[in-house]
Amino acid sequence: MADTKREIERKYESDESGLPDLTGVAGVASVIDKGVAELDAVYYDTPDERLASASITLRRRTGGDDAGWHLKFPVSSGVRDEIRAPLSETLPRDLAGLVRSRVREAELVPLVRLRSTRDVRDLLDADGALLAEVSVDAVHAERLTDDGRTAQWSEIEVELADDGDPAFLDKVEKKLRKAGVRPSASPSKLARALRETAAVKKDKAKKGKAAKGKPEKDTVAKGKGTKGKQGKKGKKGEGGSGKPGGAAEHVLAYIRVQRDAIVELDPAVRRDLFDSVHSMRVATRRLRSTFKSYGKVLDRTVTDPIGEELKWLAGELGVGRDHEVLAERVTDALAQMPESLVVGSVRTRVRTWVEAGSSGSRHALIAALDGERYLTLLRTLDAVIAEPPLLKGAGGDPEKVIGKAVSRAFGKVSDLVEEALAQPSGAERDLAMHEARKKGKRARYAAEAATGLLGAPAKQLVRDMKSLQSLLGDHQDSVMAREALRDLAFQAEQAGESSFTYGVLYGREERRAELAEAALPEAWRTITADSAF
């Protein structure tokens, strides 16, 4: 993967007077003139500006001390992650992968060229350490498409030093404001260039389709599931793809949020950022559950095949994740065990097992995200949102239709919990509790989609199902941990090693499962007392 740098900066409007004196800024001991650099950057995007619509910038820049390819993702206001790759004639493969969920099969073309004369100053503290870099940029922008319009302006840019205190930027800004300098109205040079060099008659309809990474109309298979068929055309709320209203409006809003989450998390998953894989997996599960829970709103002959593809994607995301969670549980339990109970080369064998389970999983996940099957799934989600296969219930009274769907989902959980409580401890109860956990997730996601409409009762159900998931999840993790410990004990015995420690860990996991089972009846009584469904 290319190098990544967290960029924290602020931009200001500037006139021809240049940079005010910054020697009086608190903490600044000296201002060092670093000279003038000539920068030449070409910004790439799809013709319908899908990257720009998501505040993502991709450029190839020459000049200065960081020439190369730069890809920037927004983190928060004034904060971006910049991924850098060496200068080359074509876009590096790693960077191309990071924008794939937005770009899809569209071509990346040069949109804007920015040539900047940059006058740089370093702000140093008393020890000579860099606090921030301040530059005055004279910018010339040229549109490389349409009629080649141009624009020019001057701006001041203040970039915080690596690991610097963001509060220092407030001190610099205070000084700049006293000198009459004001924050820029544009978040980036590219945003300003696109605005000021846009053709006079902008095709607004086409621009709208660029929002949230959506492909143009001819790249979407209208209303088709991955393996399914389009719902029959009909009146609004009676099948077909008229403008949704009623219950459909609420369901589709939730589906849209989850589709957007997958698209937005894709680069984070590729960069292996914390919790990104788990979050993307949750979004796929939410979508799949919503399609199932709201089968009276959206035609399941269309959405079920999409659900199967979402199940596939969740599986790819979970290849390493499930083992990671299990490995953490076993290694934590081993770390807490007294040394007197650790017999033989247990730690080495567990470490080998952990490493073996994680090897290759990341490579397989990236291969899946680079595959055509994944792009087809994204296109299909776009299509089902753009032209939803509505059924009669879609146009019905929202509270009634959605309330019944949530109630049905909760009823399925109730049946499985009661079944589990009726079973003696053992494999049958383990299975019933696991199935109840899965149905609990579905009920939770159905309630999440309904919170804006049903309010407090839906929010309470979300909380209750999360609580139930936690209890049942700990039980299921114990089941899986015992299976792993049984396998490890067998391997140890085959190698002539003691299996004593694995037996102790197994017994502790049995106890954890017993505690979860013992807590279930009271937890369930509390949930049923709370529920309005």
Side-chain angles (χ1 to χ4, degrees), residues 29 44 90 121 147 150 165 180-181 227 241 259 286 314 326 349 358 378 389 393 415 420 440 445:
Y44 289 76
T90 58
R121 305 284 191 281
D147 57 358
T150 63
D165 182 1
V181 177
K227 299 177 183 176
S241 54
R259 186 279 311 273
R286 282 176 166 144
L326 183 59
R349 183 167 294 280
S358 60
L378 294 182
D415 290 344
Y445 300 148

Side-chain angles (χ1 to χ4, degrees), residues 345-529:
S345 55
V346 178
R347 299 190 194 283
T348 300
R349 183 167 294 280
V350 169
R351 184 166 55 250
T352 301
W353 167 72
V354 170
E355 293 171 354
S358 60
S359 64
S361 61
R362 177 148 185 82
H363 177 77
L365 174 56
I366 300 303
L369 296 181
D370 284 342
E372 180 59 29
R373 186 175 183 179
Y374 173 62
L375 280 191
T376 299
L377 172 58
L378 294 182
R379 287 194 296 266
T380 305
L381 289 172
D382 290 340
V384 85
I385 291 170
E387 298 191 42
L390 305 179
L391 297 178
K392 187 175 181 179
D397 176 75
E399 289 191 22
K400 183 176 180 180
V401 173
I402 290 178
K404 283 186 176 180
V406 175
S407 182
R408 282 194 300 270
F410 180 66
K412 292 177 181 179
V413 181
S414 180
D415 290 344
L416 284 166
V417 171
E418 295 296 342
E419 179 184 334
L421 292 173
Q423 296 282 353
S425 184
E428 292 298 321
R429 172 177 277 192
D430 290 347
L431 180 61
M433 290 178 72
H434 180 47
E435 290 300 316
R437 179 191 179 209
K438 292 194 290 186
K439 290 297 189 292
K441 286 183 180 180
R442 186 184 300 180
R444 171 187 165 187
Y445 300 148
E448 282 181 351
T451 54
L453 180 67
L454 302 182
K459 291 178 182 178
Q460 181 61 52
L461 185 57
V462 170
R463 289 192 291 269
D464 286 341
M465 291 299 96
K466 287 177 71 174
S467 174
L468 182 66
Q469 277 181 244
S470 179
L471 178 64
L472 298 179
D474 189 56
H475 181 273
Q476 178 61 17
D477 287 347
S478 173
V479 172
M480 300 304 295
R482 279 178 279 158
E483 288 183 8
L485 289 166
R486 200 161 34 232
D487 290 343
L488 286 167
F490 177 76
Q491 293 170 20
E493 289 179 347
Q494 291 294 103
E497 301 169 9
S498 171
S499 61
F500 171 78
T501 302
Y502 304 106
V504 175
L505 290 170
Y506 188 98
R508 291 185 175 187
E509 285 294 348
E510 273 191 322
R511 180 56 181 159
R512 290 181 70 170
E514 289 170 0
L515 291 173
E517 290 180 32
L520 180 59
E522 180 59 31
W524 185 242
R525 278 194 292 272
T526 300
I527 288 172
T528 53

Side-chain angles (χ1 to χ4, degrees), residues 251 254-255 285-294 445:
V251 175
Y254 187 74
I255 290 172
R285 286 172 168 170
R286 282 176 166 144
L287 275 170
R288 187 164 176 251
S289 293
T290 302
F291 287 143
K292 288 185 176 182
S293 296
Y294 292 99
Y445 300 148

Side-chain angles (χ1 to χ4, degrees), residues 126-142:
D127 296 323
L130 180 65
L131 296 170
E133 178 185 274
V134 183
S135 63
V136 179
D137 295 343
V139 184
H140 177 85
E142 177 187 2

Side-chain angles (χ1 to χ4, degrees), residues 47-66:
D48 53 2
E49 301 177 14
R50 299 177 196 178
L51 298 183
S53 70
S55 299
I56 298 170
T57 62
L58 172 63
R59 73 187 179 200
R60 181 184 184 274
R61 188 163 80 179
T62 57
D65 58 5
D66 63 346

Side-chain angles (χ1 to χ4, degrees), residues 52 62 94 101 115 134 153 177 229 360 506:
T62 57
D94 281 350
S101 66
R115 284 172 287 178
V134 183
W153 66 90
R177 283 181 175 272
K229 58 186 180 179
Y506 188 98

